[in-house]
Amino acid sequence: MTAPLTPPPHDNSAHQVRQAPPPAGGPGAGAYEQDGPGMKTELREAAVTTVVVALGGVLLGLLWWWLAPHVPLVADEIGKNWVVYVKDTEGEQAVGVDGTFTLLGLAFGLVSAVVVFLLRRRGGVPLVVALALGGLLGSLLAWRLGMWLGPESDVLAHARAVGKGVTFSAPLKLSAKGALLAWPLAGLLVHLGLTALFGPRDPEAPVD
C-alpha cells in the first residue's frame, strides 16, 4: 500500500508582488502638496486684503476732514503774550469731531466686511486677521491724513497770522483715540456674523 502522493508545496516567493512605494504624485503626496499651496494662497490673499482695506483710509481721511465740524478759536494779545481760547465754550464741536470719525469708521468697517465676504465666502483665520489689521491701519492713515489736511497745527502761529480777536479753526485732532478701533471692530464683527449666517456649511457626517 503506497501513501497518497501529495504535490510538493509551491514556492511563491519568486512570484510574490511587492507593493511599490506610492509615487510622488500619489493621493497622499497630492493631499500634502495641496495643503502647502493652499496656505500660501490664503496668506497671499490676506496680505492683499490688508493693503486694499488699509488704502481705504485715504477716503476715510478725506471724508473726516470734509464732514467734521470746525472748533472755533480766538486769540488775544496780553502784553507780549498771545492767549488762545475756545470761542464757544458750550459748543460740542470737539465731540462732533470724534463722533464723525467714529461713525465713518463704523460705516467703513461694515462696507469692507461685506465686500470681503462677497469676494471670498470661505473666510479663514488669515482673512479675518487681515480685515481687522487693514481696518486699524486704515484708521491710522485716515487720522494722520485728516490732521495734515486740516487747519494749521501751530495754534500760536495761526493766531498771530490772523490777528487779535479774529476767529479761526482749531487743528483737526482726535481726542478719543478709541475711535481708531471703530473700523476694525465693526469689520470683524460684521464679517463673523455674515460667515455664521451665510457662510458655507461643513457636510454632515453620515448616520450609520
Side-chain angles (χ1 to χ4, degrees):
M1 181 176 181
T2 61
L5 299 177
T6 57
H10 295 283
D11 186 7
N12 296 329
S13 59
H15 303 284
Q16 289 179 355
V17 180
R18 297 184 178 180
Q19 185 177 2
Y32 177 77
E33 292 177 358
Q34 288 177 2
D35 291 342
M39 179 58 66
K40 290 181 180 179
T41 301
E42 287 189 3
L43 293 177
R44 190 182 306 113
E45 292 178 351
V48 173
T49 301
T50 302
V51 174
V52 173
V53 173
L55 289 178
V58 176
L59 179 58
L60 175 57
L62 292 174
L63 291 175
W64 182 46
W65 166 68
W66 181 40
L67 298 175
H70 296 276
V71 180
L73 300 178
V74 66
D76 192 9
E77 186 178 7
I78 302 176
K80 294 183 179 180
N81 298 324
W82 283 84
V83 179
V84 180
Y85 52 91
V86 179
K87 184 177 181 180
D88 186 8
T89 56
E90 297 181 357
E92 298 180 354
Q93 292 88 347
V95 179
V97 172
D98 295 343
T100 302
F101 191 95
T102 302
L103 292 177
L104 288 174
L106 293 175
F108 271 68
L110 171 63
V111 173
S112 60
V114 172
V115 172
V116 170
F117 176 77
L118 292 178
L119 292 178
R120 193 170 184 274
R121 289 179 176 269
R122 289 183 302 162
V125 175
L127 189 67
V128 175
V129 174
L131 182 62
L133 180 59
L136 180 59
L137 295 177
S139 296
L140 293 172
L141 177 60
W143 172 41
R144 304 305 298 181
L145 179 62
M147 291 177 59
W148 181 69
L149 293 174
E152 175 65 40
S153 58
D154 191 345
V155 177
L156 291 179
H158 197 178
R160 293 189 183 99
V162 299
K164 182 174 64 176
V166 178
T167 303
F168 62 97
S169 297
L172 188 61
K173 64 179 182 178
L174 198 61
S175 300
K177 298 302 187 293
L180 295 172
L181 300 177
W183 184 350
L185 289 180
L188 181 62
L189 294 177
V190 172
H191 187 272
L192 291 177
L194 291 175
T195 303
L197 293 175
F198 307 106
R201 299 289 189 271
D202 294 334
E204 297 182 358
V207 180
D208 295 336

